[in-house]
Amino acid sequence: MPSELVESSLNAIAEVTDYVANGSFASLKENVQYLSGDGYAILVRLVDHNSGWTGEHVFVDEKAYRFLAKSSLKAGDIVIANVGANAGTVFRVPKLTKPATLGPNAVMVRPRKGSEADNDFLYYYLISPLGQSKLRSITSGSAQPKFNKTDLRALQIALPSLATQQDAASTLLALDRKIALLRETNATLEAIAQALFKSWFVDFDPVRTKAEGRDPVGVPPEVADLFPSEFEDSELGEVPKGWRVGAFADITDVVGGGTPSTKEPAYWEEGQHYWATPKDLSGMDTPVLLETERKITDVGLAKISSGLLPVGTVLMSSRAPIGYLAIAEVPVAVNQGFIAMKPKAGISNLFLLDLLRVQMDEIKSHANGSTFMEISKAAFRPLKVVVPPMTVIQAFDDVARSLYERMVGNVRQIDSLTDLRDALLPRLMSGKLRIPESQEIAEEATA
């Protein structure tokens, strides 16, 4: 280990706090009352750090907030999920719009005043492959992975000087700013495509405008000509004349997936085929699947009846939870937690993706289950949808495809920048890369 690195326990350089910092779990019932409406926020569920800050909240009154004050959050705090599928996932708190405290199943790490630990550097350390490896080393349990704050406090961390940490964090922040900008761009592009879909296929704006004797705004004449100027009744209510009511089974081939025995090395070791689970979709900002956590071998793939699904397949998680969506940009096999859809001839996968979004409440209403809610393929296939003429679907695809391709390119760049960010930190710590060199690399990557 280079001489400039100083190793110490996490507890020596940072405060590690949990949800019940002011008392015990037994005292929560007496002191914490949940409100049906707004109030002070308690974070109760975290999602992957690649999405920045994402969570669900419950609300409490001022008395409860004061009881939990030691776990109150402020911008920049590091929060780590310590229970469940996301155990070890690291988050950083953004600027908050209202007072909030940490919730259960997570711990907060905040550098001690006067310690030789920079908050930004510590965050990057913990999300790096090195930091994630250390967090995995204290995590136990397969059905419900978890670690406790005592083990986290004892975790040994080697840090360079405070000045080196701050310089390195500045370099890594530059990469993160570029990543954030690309994500914002993708959110805008996706919103444009969704707005167009809603206008054409939910609100039927071009049809309504033509019915009033006016030309549709912002729609080229050759596209406007594809829409009728009248409505007719259907089993789903009023729809554009000539459009039909069909089922998901009419517009897409629906298949599921499977999980070969994880105890059989021949199915997994040196796997070369992407194999997705709903977790691979859980932290996506953009519905584009380019990578999976695990890969499967030829022998393992042969155990999955749906085999390797082609590029362009639309994936929807069918349980735990229902509704994660993505388009596969690589050939991929899937586990049993998916309904995978291969659009039929003339059906755009982008049309199908947005159709699933607007139909999601209806899809979920047909789910059932005791342990967790699930929508089966048999229940999904016959669900009714309005099907426009293929010419209208193609016109939508012509517009949405260019937006989507830009999004895919941005996701590839995000992945590249993320890999670069994760690779720079250990090289900086080891002394193999100096700060000026890393800054030049970051500037080239973000130009």
Side-chain angles (χ1 to χ4, degrees):
M1 183 171 60
S3 59
E4 66 266 23
L5 296 184
V6 176
E7 185 167 306
S8 61
S9 68
L10 182 60
N11 188 58
I13 60 173
E15 300 174 20
V16 179
T17 308
D18 65 5
Y19 173 51
V20 287
N22 290 39
S24 65
F25 275 106
S27 63
L28 284 173
K29 187 175 181 181
E30 178 183 347
N31 290 280
V32 176
Q33 303 297 319
Y34 299 119
L35 303 177
S36 58
D38 206 351
Y40 294 88
I42 295 180
L43 182 68
V44 294
R45 190 173 75 89
L46 300 169
V47 186
D48 190 273
H49 77 266
N50 284 339
S51 297
W53 172 262
T54 307
E56 294 176 357
H57 302 81
V58 294
F59 297 99
V60 297
D61 59 17
E62 185 175 359
K63 174 191 172 185
Y65 179 76
R66 293 191 182 283
F67 173 75
L68 296 167
K70 285 186 180 178
S71 58
S72 62
L73 300 169
K74 64 181 182 182
D77 280 339
I78 299 166
V79 175
I80 310 173
N82 71 326
V83 178
N86 282 330
T89 304
V90 182
F91 304 77
R92 188 163 44 180
V93 180
K95 184 177 180 181
L96 298 169
T97 57
K98 63 178 62 183
T101 77
L102 192 67
N105 304 333
V107 292
M108 175 174 61
V109 176
R110 183 185 293 166
R112 297 183 184 278
K113 290 182 179 179
S115 78
E116 288 294 302
D118 176 77
N119 188 72
D120 290 331
F121 184 87
L122 188 56
Y123 166 75
Y124 286 118
Y125 181 98
L126 291 169
I127 68 171
S128 72
L130 175 61
Q132 288 291 292
S133 175
K134 286 183 173 290
L135 290 173
R136 284 194 298 271
S137 74
I138 60 171
T139 302
S140 60
S142 54
Q144 181 77 323
K146 62 181 178 179
F147 62 84
N148 59 52
K149 64 179 180 181
T150 300
D151 288 339
L152 183 62
R153 285 171 173 159
L155 203 66
Q156 294 295 301
I157 291 181
L159 298 177
S161 69
L162 182 59
T164 299
Q165 291 178 53
Q166 292 169 339
D167 286 341
S170 177
T171 300
L172 301 174
L173 280 166
L175 294 173
D176 260 357
R177 282 192 289 269
K178 178 64 173 181
I179 291 171
L181 180 60
L182 290 167
R183 288 189 174 128
E184 290 171 6
T185 300
N186 273 3
T188 300
L189 295 171
E190 192 170 7
I192 293 171
Q194 289 182 37
L196 180 65
F197 182 92
K198 183 175 184 294
S199 175
W200 286 15
F201 304 118
V202 179
D203 298 332
F204 308 127
D205 288 334
V207 183
R208 296 189 189 283
T209 302
K210 291 180 71 172
E212 295 169 357
R214 297 182 290 113
D215 293 330
V217 177
V219 180
E222 64 273 17
V223 175
D225 289 343
L226 302 175
F227 290 88
S229 58
E230 300 176 64
F231 289 92
E232 59 187 8
D233 290 331
S234 77
E235 60 185 291
L236 294 181
E238 191 178 62
V239 300
K241 188 174 183 178
W243 294 22
R244 65 186 177 89
V245 173
F248 277 111
D250 298 328
I251 60 175
T252 183
D253 293 322
V254 176
V255 299
T259 303
S261 173
T262 56
K263 296 180 181 179
E264 176 51 66
Y267 298 157
W268 304 100
E269 287 185 1
E270 299 183 6
Q272 63 270 46
H273 303 294
Y274 294 106
W275 178 79
T277 73
K279 184 181 177 183
D280 289 306
L281 276 59
S282 64
M284 284 184 172
D285 302 286
T286 307
V288 174
L289 182 71
L290 291 170
E291 184 63 81
T292 58
E293 184 177 340
R294 298 193 71 176
K295 290 185 178 181
I296 196 167
T297 64
D298 287 333
V299 178
L301 182 63
K303 297 291 183 180
I304 302 175
S305 59
S306 54
L308 202 61
L309 302 172
V311 170
T313 300
V314 179
L315 305 178
M316 181 186 76
S317 62
S318 57
R319 66 184 190 186
I322 298 168
Y324 290 151
L325 295 169
I327 293 176
E329 283 299 316
V330 291
V332 64
V334 298
N335 81 342
Q336 61 275 17
F338 283 105
I339 286 176
M341 289 156 271
K342 295 181 283 187
K344 292 189 176 181
I347 301 297
S348 159
N349 58 359
L350 300 180
F351 170 84
L352 180 58
L353 180 73
D354 281 332
L355 180 62
L356 290 165
R357 284 196 178 105
V358 300
Q359 293 289 335
M360 194 54 67
D361 287 343
E362 175 70 10
I363 292 169
K364 290 179 179 180
S365 73
H366 287 79
N368 56 59
S370 53
T371 305
F372 46 75
M373 299 300 288
E374 179 174 11
I375 176 77
S376 68
K377 296 187 292 297
F380 174 79
R381 288 188 179 102
L383 294 182
K384 299 296 185 181
V385 293
V386 176
V387 183
M390 300 302 173
T391 52
V392 179
I393 294 175
Q394 184 58 54
F396 171 78
D397 187 89
D398 288 343
V399 178
R401 186 65 53 186
S402 61
L403 301 174
Y404 177 76
E405 288 174 353
R406 286 178 61 190
M407 289 160 54
V408 173
N410 287 343
V411 172
R412 293 186 189 279
Q413 190 175 358
I414 288 169
D415 289 347
S416 177
L417 291 171
T418 300
D419 290 342
L420 175 60
R421 182 195 66 193
D422 292 344
L424 284 179
L425 186 138
R427 293 176 65 191
L428 287 166
M429 291 182 62
S430 67
K432 294 179 179 178
L433 184 68
R434 299 301 176 185
I435 295 296
E437 296 172 286
S438 70
Q439 291 172 338
E440 288 180 11
I441 292 173
E443 287 172 3
E444 290 179 5
T446 57

